[in-house]
């Protein structure tokens, strides 16, 4: 687990997380891509969703 000062931007962002793990994909510009994946990635469907988000982040980073 990662802990942040509650007064920091990261702390404010993570204060709304209630399920761990929660996976966010972030492009090289710091933008969150798509919706987070809540919970462990254990199914083929979740794995495919994650790969699509990664592909989208890479495509966004090329622009």
């Amino acid at each position: 687990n990662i802990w942040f000062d509650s007064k920091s931007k990261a702390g404010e962002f993570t204060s709304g997380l209630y399920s761990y793990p929660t996976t966010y994909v972030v492009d090289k510009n710091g933008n969150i891509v798509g919706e987070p994946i809540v919970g462990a990635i254990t199914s083929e469907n979740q794995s495919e969703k994650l790969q699509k988000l990664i592909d989208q982040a890479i495509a966004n980073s090329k622009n």
Side-chain angles (χ1 to χ4, degrees):
N1 291 330
I2 300 173
W3 299 96
F4 300 101
D5 182 338
S6 62
K7 295 176 184 165
S8 70
K9 282 207 171 263
E12 290 175 14
F13 176 78
T14 58
S15 68
L17 298 178
Y18 297 102
S19 181
Y20 295 96
T22 300
T23 303
Y24 285 87
V25 175
V26 180
D27 67 19
K28 76 173 188 177
N29 299 312
N31 300 308
I32 295 173
V33 178
E35 295 296 317
I37 300 172
V38 178
I41 298 171
T42 58
S43 72
E44 184 70 26
N45 183 39
Q46 291 169 313
S47 179
E48 289 171 2
K49 179 180 177 183
L50 177 58
Q51 187 60 55
K52 286 179 184 178
L53 291 173
I54 292 169
D55 293 342
Q56 184 179 349
I58 291 169
N60 290 354
S61 297
K62 291 181 180 179
N63 297 329

